[in-house]
Amino acid sequence: MNGEELTLQQVRAIAYDFTPVVLAEEAVQRVADCRTMVEKLVASNKVVYGVTTGFGKFSDVTISPEDSAQLQANLIRSHACAVGQPLPESTVRALMLLRANALSKGYSGIRLDTLQLLLDCLNRRVHPVVPEQGSLGASGDLAPLSHLALVLMGEGEAIYLGERMSGKEALARAGLKPIQLQAKEGLSLINGTQIMTSIGALAYIQSQNLAKMADVIAALTTECLQGITDAFAEEIQRVRPYPEQIGVAKNLRVLLTDSKLATRQGELRVQDAYSLRCLPQVHGATRQVLAYVEDKLMIEMNAATDNPLLFMEEGVVISGGNFHGQPIAFAMDFLKIGMSELANISERRTERLVNPALSGGLPAFLSHTPGIASGMMIPQYVSASLVSENKVLAHPASVDSIPSSANQEDHVSMGTTAARHAAQVIANSAKVLAIELICAAEAIQFRGEELLAPATRVLFDKVRELVPPVLTDRSTSADIERIAAALLQGEFLPFIEDVSGPLY
């Protein structure tokens, strides 16, 4: 890790698979040199925000060198007032990584020992308990990140090997010792956008999995409804040349190759409803959103986002606003909208599967004994409920701002709220897609699975490994949750791509 080249694939490996992290040699030198610059500033008693002054509205209060350590400890303790449920351990691992990566760039003035302790905690699975609510998304994610810093001080709470305990005990069990923060270090640890970016990065990774699987699920539903493949023709996409639309249409053509259920224009009907016919346009537009979000995340994950920043080559310390989360706030709001639409159109396909007036001969609600058994009637209700909830969550958080710190910090991004809501939208959308997939698997039981295309047959078989046919009424809650989890993690994709080849 050197602060410059962190990828989303690495974030995933470290957050979920516990891949260890080592600080690059060039980063070690930059961090050490930058720390030397801080110590010279303190010794010369120069006025530097957060080093020899107070914070926020207290930036005009001068702090003596002998009080600088107490200033940093007080900063962390006073700011550690976040509330709500703890962030998932995977998210905490991602934020620890992203904060360490930003610090390793050598513009923050942190001591090498403090940065190494943060990495040691990550590698030895000491995961601070970080409440999810309380950030304004400007001046950094101050309140939540302070709970991370508390543990480095031997305070607060942490999860160690799955057990919740005091930060002091977690460090001791992991063979680590707490540090006493010195000048600038507390500010360096909490003045950044790592909460919103870590939530956003993991949400984006899950969105990628869902977007690709949405194409496969839609292809299966197209077969269930004997949909028309002409709408996916290359000629149509060529004259509206969005690359993402072209890619989705190609996916659908590949996935439906050799299907004995999909139809051609005029065989059963001239054209399908929009939820089938417009798949390349709608799913493709969501892919455009994901491309935008990925670009912003890649920049933010490798950025210096605290304040002030120390520039060793120029010999200057500059106060600025890189902690302002507006770029990620917009990206997360955009992600919410894109993924909400992926769920919206999925729910409409589910309705066509269970509605006998729209399904082309399938039994009402896919029931094996209509009237006696309700079949898949109520899962569609659940899907509709989740889609409606997404519409509320998709309201942009970034349009709001509340002044803070006696109006010194008079415009904020609400980026962390946007990221948290995006994660919830994505979790909801996975369940909506899971319901469509379960309903499609039920519908194929009536059409005949032997008539499926080779690629969609793989998906059907993988679903049946997890969810048996609903031959008589039973609770399907666990089935929906199980399939949703598999979709978020992309569990089915390798098996499908073994048959279809790589999908867009």
Side-chain angles (χ1 to χ4, degrees), residues 135-178:
S135 174
L136 295 175
S139 282
D141 289 314
L142 294 174
L145 280 172
S146 294
H147 291 267
L148 168 66
L150 271 182
V151 172
L152 302 183
M153 296 165 57
E155 301 178 23
E157 289 187 294
I159 306 292
Y160 178 62
L161 300 180
E163 183 181 350
R164 186 167 178 166
M165 61 190 72
S166 70
K168 181 178 180 180
E169 183 178 358
L171 290 177
R173 287 201 194 183
L176 300 171
K177 294 181 179 180

Side-chain angles (χ1 to χ4, degrees), residues 63-195:
I63 306 298
S64 65
E66 55 268 24
D67 289 332
S68 61
Q70 187 64 54
L71 173 70
Q72 301 302 312
N74 285 349
L75 171 72
I76 301 305
R77 290 169 183 150
S78 67
H79 285 40
C81 56
V83 296
Q85 293 298 310
L87 290 170
E89 285 187 71
S90 56
T91 304
V92 173
R93 289 185 60 78
L95 77 89
M96 294 169 76
L97 170 69
L98 296 185
R99 192 69 218 134
N101 193 55
L103 295 172
S104 71
K105 293 174 72 69
Y107 296 104
S108 302
I110 200 161
R111 287 180 299 160
L112 191 58
D113 286 350
T114 305
L115 176 55
Q116 188 58 55
L117 178 59
L118 178 56
L119 288 176
D120 287 343
C121 285
L122 178 63
N123 290 332
R124 299 189 195 186
R125 305 190 191 184
V126 176
H127 304 143
V129 173
V130 180
E132 65 179 359
Q133 294 173 295
S135 174
L136 295 175
S139 282
D141 289 314
L142 294 174
L145 280 172
S146 294
H147 291 267
L148 168 66
L150 271 182
V151 172
L152 302 183
M153 296 165 57
E155 301 178 23
E157 289 187 294
I159 306 292
Y160 178 62
L161 300 180
E163 183 181 350
R164 186 167 178 166
M165 61 190 72
S166 70
K168 181 178 180 180
E169 183 178 358
L171 290 177
R173 287 201 194 183
L176 300 171
K177 294 181 179 180
I179 45 91
Q180 183 180 29
L181 297 177
Q182 301 299 318
K184 179 66 166 67
E185 291 194 296
L187 194 58
S188 296
L189 286 167
I190 68 172
N191 203 211
T193 59
Q194 281 67 46
I195 299 288

